[in-house]
Amino acid sequence: MSGTIKFTRDLAEWGSRVRDFERADDVGIVFTELLWFFGTPFYPIDTLMRARISSAWLGNGEAVEEDALDLILRMRLESDDSSDEYSFYEIVLRGDSAPFYAGFVDGTNLRVLDEVVNGHRVLETDFEGDVWRFVFVPGLGNGAGQYQFQQIVGAAETASIRARGKRLRR
């Protein structure tokens, strides 16, 4: 199940192309949570309505059923001066519990790896010629944990490098 994630459907369609488990009430509540960053609005509502949606299994092993797939929204800020492909990928983990906001990763070309850290698959993106690696960190955020930037592949491990986007606070 590793590979590049494709985003072919608009969240705002809410029609036949968005499946029932992707638009469930408990998922909708989590979507409202990702609009904020450290208690301050981050995305305008129209950014959420333009978001592209995809689903993938980010847990360990194989997904048991489609309704357990995790959701990823590709969000773009109109005011962002980066390339047309640079995005925030907002993650909602579902698994066998209630959905929860599991943080964001940013860059281009989101990829899910077969490697698992802390019970969840490692994610990678491209960013200004580098590959950025993100891992799930239990206990981070308001839910069971969140994805967090770990390192630039091939560089020393760090949790503080951010050239653009949301600034990580420790």
Side-chain angles (χ1 to χ4, degrees):
M1 184 117 188
S2 62
T4 301
I5 303 272
K6 294 185 182 186
F7 293 85
T8 60
R9 301 171 290 134
D10 289 322
L11 177 66
E13 288 177 354
W14 291 113
S16 61
R17 292 182 47 123
V18 177
R19 297 170 283 188
D20 287 342
F21 75 91
E22 293 171 323
R23 62 175 173 228
D25 288 344
D26 55 358
V27 170
I29 290 169
V30 176
F31 285 167
T32 65
E33 189 177 339
L34 64 84
L35 296 175
W36 294 76
F37 187 64
F38 284 104
T40 304
F42 185 78
Y43 295 112
I45 192 66
D46 64 322
T47 302
L48 178 62
M49 299 315 296
R50 286 191 318 272
R52 306 288 284 180
I53 188 170
S54 191
S55 56
W57 177 245
L58 300 179
N60 195 11
E62 294 298 319
V64 185
E65 54 190 45
E66 183 179 74
D67 287 358
L69 292 176
D70 303 304
L71 305 178
I72 305 169
L73 297 179
R74 187 180 72 191
M75 314 266 291
R76 290 231 350 105
L77 292 171
E78 288 295 318
S79 61
D80 196 347
D81 63 352
S82 60
S83 77
D84 288 340
E85 295 302 313
Y86 176 82
S87 301
F88 292 106
Y89 300 95
E90 301 285 352
I91 302 164
V92 177
L93 291 181
R94 298 174 49 85
D96 57 358
S97 63
F100 65 94
Y101 176 58
F104 72 95
V105 305
D106 60 331
T108 62
N109 302 315
L110 175 62
R111 293 177 298 283
V112 177
L113 305 183
D114 286 331
E115 180 183 356
V116 174
V117 173
N118 298 322
H120 297 277
R121 295 178 188 273
V122 173
L123 303 177
E124 285 184 350
T125 62
D126 299 323
F127 185 78
E128 297 179 349
D130 293 314
V131 175
W132 285 35
R133 176 184 169 93
F134 299 83
V135 298
F136 184 80
V137 179
L140 185 65
N142 296 329
Q146 290 186 354
Y147 275 89
Q148 185 176 47
F149 172 73
Q150 181 188 38
Q151 74 181 92
I152 297 172
V153 175
E157 188 170 323
T158 180
S160 61
I161 294 176
R162 302 302 281 179
R164 74 168 54 255
K166 300 178 182 179
R167 301 282 182 214
L168 292 180
R169 298 181 191 168
R170 290 197 151 234

